[in-house]
Amino acid sequence: MPEDELSRSSHSNPGKSLVNGIKTNPASNSPKSSLSVPLGPPVYVDLAYIPNHCSGKNTDPEFFKRVRASYYVVSGNDAANGEPSRAVLDALLEGKSQWGENLQVTLIPTHDTEVTREWYQQTHEKQQELNIMVLASSSTVVMQDESFPACKIEF
């Protein structure tokens, strides 16, 4: 089947749906079960926001293998809902270890949480080995009734 026909048939197939841009079987809403999706080349971006407030529901090592960013933003400040997820932070290490190139990566947490602090301390050696820097902010932005750390990113 020619590539353009294959592409059209996959777009018009009502039995497939997309979860985070990955085709999945309607019987399963988990992207982790869609391992039959053929791997394409990785996508390189300057900045990527880790989906769903860094929840483990939608992000696994495959995300970090496919989406290669100079900067990853980690939001999430809801420990009761597992945000940010330690599993996602560990997935960054696992995914980055398979890049085959040691590009600099900067992780930008938007909140200072116990999960990110513990992960940073327990995996610091691995972060250095993989050329991952965790950006800590020394500036604070105050808006209305809320204050939060601020980071300046230059490209």
Side-chain angles (χ1 to χ4, degrees):
M1 177 181 287
E3 189 175 68
D4 59 335
E5 285 181 36
L6 178 62
S7 177
R8 271 183 289 186
S9 68
S10 67
H11 290 296
S12 63
N13 184 347
K16 299 277 184 184
S17 62
L18 292 177
V19 175
N20 287 340
I22 300 172
K23 290 179 186 169
T24 61
N25 188 330
S28 169
N29 290 330
S30 170
K32 294 176 184 172
S33 67
S34 64
L35 297 176
S36 64
V37 174
L39 294 178
V43 176
Y44 291 86
V45 296
D46 289 328
L47 179 73
Y49 175 84
I50 298 178
N52 203 22
H53 302 289
C54 196
S55 166
K57 297 173 188 169
N58 299 79
T59 308
D60 61 6
E62 191 63 35
F63 173 82
F64 296 104
K65 289 180 205 172
R66 290 184 174 205
V67 179
R68 298 180 181 186
S70 297
Y71 299 88
Y72 290 102
V73 176
V74 176
S75 71
N77 192 23
D78 187 357
N81 284 320
E83 300 169 5
S85 167
R86 169 69 189 247
V88 172
L89 297 171
D90 289 340
L92 167 62
L93 298 175
E94 183 180 335
K96 172 92 169 52
S97 70
Q98 297 180 33
W99 285 12
E101 50 194 334
N102 200 17
L103 300 174
Q104 171 72 47
V105 167
T106 302
L107 190 67
I108 305 168
T110 60
H111 294 86
D112 181 22
T113 66
E114 189 173 328
V115 170
T116 53
R117 271 183 268 128
E118 284 180 5
W119 176 82
Y120 176 81
Q121 291 169 352
Q122 294 169 359
T123 65
H124 188 69
E125 202 171 289
K126 183 74 170 173
Q127 293 166 43
Q128 289 180 318
E129 176 186 314
L130 293 172
N131 205 14
I132 296 172
M133 180 177 73
V134 178
L135 190 61
S137 176
S138 59
S139 300
T140 302
V141 174
V142 178
M143 292 179 62
Q144 297 173 351
D145 298 334
E146 191 176 357
S147 66
F148 47 89
C151 297
K152 180 179 179 183
I153 304 169
E154 293 184 20
F155 298 98

